[in-house]
Every structure is written in C-alpha cells, then in structure tokens.
Amino acid sequence: MAALRRTLHVASLAAGTHRALAGSLADSCLADRCLWDKLHAQPRQGSVRTFDWFFGYEEVQGLLLPLLQEARSACPPRVLDVGCGTSNLCTGLYTKCPHPVDVLGVDFSPVALAHMNSLLEGGQGQTPLSPGHLASRLHFMQADAQNLEPVAPSGSFQLVLDKGTWDAVARGGLPGAYKLLSECLRVLSPQGTLIQFSDEDPDVRLPCLEQGSRGWAVTVQELGPFRGITYFAYMVRGCN
C-alpha cells in the first residue's frame, strides 16, 4: 500500500487529479465507494482518458499474453478485471491483444463505469475503441467485487485480474479482502489464473493468500521497477 499512497499524492501527473483530493484519499478508507466516485468524477487533462494505479497494460502485457495463449481452449478466453476503475488494463487487452479475448471489467463506482462505457463507445466526440481481434469483446458491469454472484457463475473466467483491489478492500479490514479473494476464486476456472498486482511485500501478502487459497498453488513474480517502485504479481492457479 505504500506505493498506492504515494501514487495518490502524485495522481495529477496521470489524470489531472487534484492534489488536495489525493491527499485526503491517502488518509481515508479506500474501501469507501463515495471516495472513488469523487475521484473518478475529476476532470481529465488533455488526451489522458484512463487512469492507472501502479502501472498500465503495457507494463504487464508480457505476463498476460502467454497466459491467454494457454487458455485458448476456451475460445475466446474470458478475462475478469475486478475493481477495474478507469484503468487501461481492460482497454489494453481489448485493443492490443492479437488473439480473441472476452473482457469484463467490474467496479462498484457508477462514475468510473460511465466513463469507461463512454470511452468504449466513443462518447464526447472520441473515436470508439477498436478491438485487436475482430472476435474480441469488452464490456463493463457495476458490481461489488466481494459479491460476484450477479456477474457470473462459478468457473466462468480463465483469467481474473486484481490490480490494487485487494489493497483497497483490505484498508476496510482483512475479512473483506478474504471475501474478495473467495469470490475471485469461485468465478475462476479450475485451470485458470488469478493475478493480484500489488506493491505489498511477499512476506505480508503470501501468508494471506496461502491461507485463503487452500487447494490452489500460490506463486509470486517481481515486476519493475516502474518509476522507481518494485511491484509483485501474486498468481493463484489450480494445482492440477
């Protein structure tokens, strides 16, 4: 969470976020939807249309594309981004993946989703997003990541992505974070992969994941450094 707090203080570099708001968020409960609605409602400067905590799609495409290649028995493989916000993780997969992919972004902020749907459809005079493959799909749904029952039945996705969502939910208490993890694993195919992207040290995160993911294999891969900060990809996969 240290990097997330630092990112909040410099958010204006990426999305025109007011420093005063960023500072107040850094000291607040990041599991509060109203705070995210307020953040996502801030005007954007210039051509910046998405906002990413930690890093964007380009920094992790080398990790994601091989996993999607492995999952091509499902055609197209389904990807869920929990707590997608206004990140370019979903849009990057949709517009740059050379293989068919079906991407769903979920977030509890209607403000974030309204922006992403406008971006997808070409609202406010923008050009609609074009898929990297004609068979690819991208859509967004409002949902609480701790309750994905309205989103999909069990085993629906070959890849589930969590970029900073555990970190934010855990600020409201670990029980909520474990509920998030449980829901991510419920909707994940037994042969699929859950990836949590975070700056949290493995000595802290791995015991939590191992406790909450019994029956799954948990590994970690170092990422970066990006802008001087080292991140980690915590991967949870079926043991078989």
Side-chain angles (χ1 to χ4, degrees):
M1 285 301 297
L4 179 54
R5 289 190 290 271
R6 286 194 293 272
T7 302
L8 285 164
H9 282 289
V10 298
S12 59
L13 297 177
T17 305
H18 296 312
R19 291 182 183 274
L21 173 60
S24 67
L25 278 173
D27 297 325
S28 302
C29 176
L30 297 178
D32 184 347
R33 194 193 80 183
C34 292
L35 292 174
W36 292 105
D37 284 344
K38 188 176 181 181
L39 173 64
H40 293 308
Q42 295 302 305
R44 298 168 188 275
Q45 295 180 343
S47 61
V48 176
R49 299 197 289 173
T50 56
F51 175 76
D52 280 280
W53 307 113
F54 303 161
F55 47 78
Y57 169 76
E58 290 75 13
E59 285 80 5
V60 293
Q61 62 182 333
L63 174 64
L64 300 182
L65 293 181
L67 291 173
L68 290 172
Q69 281 285 85
E70 291 178 17
R72 290 184 69 188
S73 57
C75 191
R78 299 192 68 201
V79 180
L80 175 66
D81 183 4
V82 293
C84 63
T86 58
S87 166
N88 77 356
L89 206 54
C90 285
T91 58
L93 276 169
Y94 176 65
T95 61
K96 297 181 180 180
C97 181
H99 315 294
V101 63
D102 184 357
V103 184
L104 172 62
V106 301
D107 202 280
F108 64 0
S109 169
V111 179
L113 297 179
H115 175 77
M116 296 308 286
N117 277 313
S118 176
L119 184 63
L120 175 62
E121 297 163 5
Q124 301 180 357
Q126 301 284 351
T127 302
L129 299 181
S130 298
H133 190 284
L134 290 177
S136 291
R137 296 189 294 266
L138 172 61
H139 48 295
F140 297 95
M141 181 181 296
Q142 184 177 355
D144 186 337
Q146 297 177 56
N147 178 21
L148 296 172
E149 288 285 351
V151 173
S154 300
S156 299
F157 295 93
Q158 284 68 51
L159 183 60
V160 177
L161 305 176
D162 169 345
K163 185 157 70 72
T165 303
W166 166 288
D167 303 69
V169 172
R171 288 286 292 274
L174 276 178
Y178 279 121
K179 190 172 181 181
L180 164 68
L181 175 61
S182 176
E183 278 295 274
C184 288
L185 294 178
R186 182 186 64 79
V187 300
L188 183 65
S189 163
Q191 293 78 40
T193 304
L194 163 66
I195 307 179
Q196 290 186 350
F197 295 109
S198 177
D199 70 316
E200 188 169 56
D201 191 275
D203 288 343
V204 177
R205 180 65 59 91
L206 283 176
C208 292
L209 288 180
E210 289 166 353
Q211 177 178 333
S213 306
R214 291 188 176 94
W216 299 78
V218 181
T219 59
V220 60
Q221 179 174 325
E222 189 172 302
L223 302 173
F226 305 131
R227 294 188 294 275
I229 300 172
T230 297
Y231 298 93
F232 302 94
Y234 295 96
M235 291 181 281
V236 184
R237 312 187 75 174
C239 293
N240 297 328

